[in-house]
Amino acid sequence: MLLSILTFVLAGQAAAERPPKPIVLSSSGGFQIGGTIIHSPFQPNITLSCDHGYMEYFLPYRPRKTSLVMWHSSSTQVWQNRWDGGPGFKDLFLRRNYPVYLWDGPRVGRANWACEPTIYIPSYMDTANFAAWNFGPRYKQWWPDVQFPTASEDAWQQATSARYVEYDTKANVGLHARAAAVAADSGRVGKDIVYLTNSAGGLRAQLTATLSNTTNIKGIVTYESIGYVFPDNINVTAGKGGFGPYVVPVEQFKKLARLLAVQFVWGDHRAENMSSVVESRLVAKLINQYGGNAKVLKLGNAGLKGSTHIPFADLDNEEVAGLLEEFLGENGLDGYVDEGDDDGEDYEDEDENEEQ
């Protein structure tokens, strides 16, 4: 009996120490898409290709049908790692066999070739970022339960420096959405697209869905969206800046209701009367009035405490990923390209047989 117990304990230990499932890709790469070509006013035969977006992709060996497009308005890094350097949503969902696409909109990151002059002025954002990203009520006063490695100065430095220059103007929102709509309609990102967005990326993804001319976009999950799209048949005045409100013709807005699902996600430290939370509930209600499927999820109600503005990078991002996995399953977005492969795990068994 003692031998049996010891064997059981050792087996459990080995399982706990086993490395995570390997990420097996069929291919990875990137491409530019959208944009325009402008001609020199002095020599018309000299041109510049500009204002395109850039899409980096990772395609699993046994892929699911749904492509996850991870979109942040100022950095793709937030999708790649947890705050402490651990695996981010990119790896978590590649291990779940979802094709993953990292999107840089026009004039951002790897797509920064602009068609007009741009100006960068240092704005000393580190202190403001602390509260904006919901690490605590004010600089270096952490929420007691925050899902961030608060003892690590390096983690804070990595977090606040992992950004691109972000142009939060109304014109830039439209520029991003048009390029993303071209990418969605092209088919190069798949026929079943779910946008995972954060912050000002949420507004851009909503607008993209209203501009798309295909049914390739199937859903949007936006984490703490700052900015919303409204129909022009209600009493909402369009904003002049880059955080909305953005008003579109009602027939375009109805495209949001044709998506399989839309989810607006908020952390537990966001007050119910915060303007963006209020807007998210109103937009969800409007989408549902036109026959859509939109919900607002408060992570605190799902048992997750101390979430930051970027919960998919939090220390409990596995639990956040689990909620997203439930969302995909509930809306029929978790199927495989090869429907005969129910769990996508067959290749692991084949590898084990080869080793034996």
Side-chain angles (χ1 to χ4, degrees), residues 99-126:
V100 169
Y101 293 79
L102 300 180
W103 171 248
D104 284 341
R107 305 183 188 179
V108 171
R110 294 165 292 182
N112 68 350
W113 214 236
C115 289
E116 60 185 29
T118 61
I119 299 173
Y120 169 69
I121 300 174
S123 54
Y124 306 98
M125 292 295 294
D126 288 0

Side-chain angles (χ1 to χ4, degrees), residues 294-343:
K295 296 178 181 177
V296 176
L297 171 64
K298 297 294 283 287
L299 292 175
N301 295 336
L304 302 187
K305 303 298 183 181
S307 299
T308 73
H309 180 55
I310 306 175
F312 46 87
D314 283 350
L315 297 180
D316 64 350
N317 69 349
E318 274 280 8
E319 285 75 15
V320 180
L323 294 174
L324 175 57
E325 199 166 24
E326 289 177 15
F327 168 90
L328 295 169
E330 289 169 358
N331 293 288
L333 292 164
D334 60 343
Y336 279 83
V337 171
D338 176 3
E339 288 295 349
D341 175 19
D342 291 330
D343 59 10

Side-chain angles (χ1 to χ4, degrees), residues 7 40 51 61 86 108 123 139 174 182 227 277 313 336:
T7 302
S40 167
D51 279 354
Y61 176 67
V108 171
S123 54
Y139 185 62
V182 170
V277 175
Y336 279 83

Side-chain angles (χ1 to χ4, degrees), residues 51 71 73 105-108 116 118 165-178 204 207 241-242 246:
D51 279 354
W71 184 350
S73 52
R107 305 183 188 179
V108 171
E116 60 185 29
T118 61
V165 176
E166 182 176 337
Y167 300 99
D168 286 315
T169 66
K170 188 174 182 178
N172 188 263
V173 171
L175 180 66
H176 279 219
R178 289 190 295 274
R204 289 160 168 80
L207 186 59
Y246 213 103

